[in-house]
Amino acid sequence: GARHRGGLPPTVRVTTWVDGLAARVGHDPRSEYAERFWLPVIGPTSLFLLRRMAARLDARPEGFDQDTAELAAELGVGPSRAANSPLARTLGRLDGFRCARWVDDGRIAFRRHLYPLTASQARRLPASLAAELGTER
């Protein structure tokens, strides 16, 4: 995806990352599965951002423009758009875990459904949650 070495743009276009397989086998980011199993992997800010974007994309499936400083402030991470800001790190984390992706410098696509955790991702879980998934740590 696009890298924002100079910081995040003032506004980004938010769209859906269309993935038919994820829509069939995945989990809504607002689901119990996402909260129990994805949360320990990607962290609370990342999951909350995914949930917020899913709700907004429900209302605006064609996509929408999002002020990045406003979004950061809404998430409680401060309004900075710097390259190392909490919002930029959160978006980078979502990109790294393939939950969102930069389409270009001004457009980011969010998954509406999260795949079941991979074995590698499940190894990040506490033992009790890994046991629930039937994976070993």
Side-chain angles (χ1 to χ4, degrees):
R3 299 288 179 241
H4 294 279
R5 293 188 193 344
L8 295 171
T11 304
V12 294
R13 181 75 182 168
V14 173
T15 59
T16 296
W17 182 344
V18 177
D19 182 338
L21 180 58
R24 287 190 302 278
V25 303
H27 303 273
D28 188 291
R30 297 162 288 187
S31 70
E32 178 73 13
Y33 181 95
E35 186 170 321
R36 292 189 56 74
F37 302 112
W38 273 98
L39 174 66
V41 174
I42 62 173
T45 305
S46 295
L47 183 60
F48 189 73
L49 177 55
L50 281 174
R51 287 177 168 195
R52 178 158 291 203
M53 293 300 106
R56 289 184 179 168
L57 286 165
D58 280 350
R60 306 272 311 273
E62 73 283 1
F64 57 91
D65 293 329
Q66 176 65 60
D67 179 284
T68 53
E70 182 178 316
L71 179 60
E74 288 175 13
L75 292 171
V77 299
S80 175
R81 292 191 320 262
N84 65 344
S85 68
L87 180 59
R89 290 194 315 268
T90 298
L91 291 170
R93 186 166 184 79
L94 290 174
D95 184 62
F97 280 98
R98 298 185 43 81
C99 297
R101 67 181 172 90
W102 287 100
V103 177
D104 56 41
D105 284 342
R107 201 163 31 130
I108 188 166
F110 287 88
R111 284 196 187 276
R112 301 294 303 283
H113 296 89
L114 302 173
Y115 279 102
L117 292 183
T118 65
S120 173
Q121 291 165 338
R123 283 194 285 278
R124 295 171 168 263
L125 295 174
S128 60
L129 290 177
E132 278 186 49
L133 283 181
T135 60
E136 303 207 9
R137 286 188 49 204

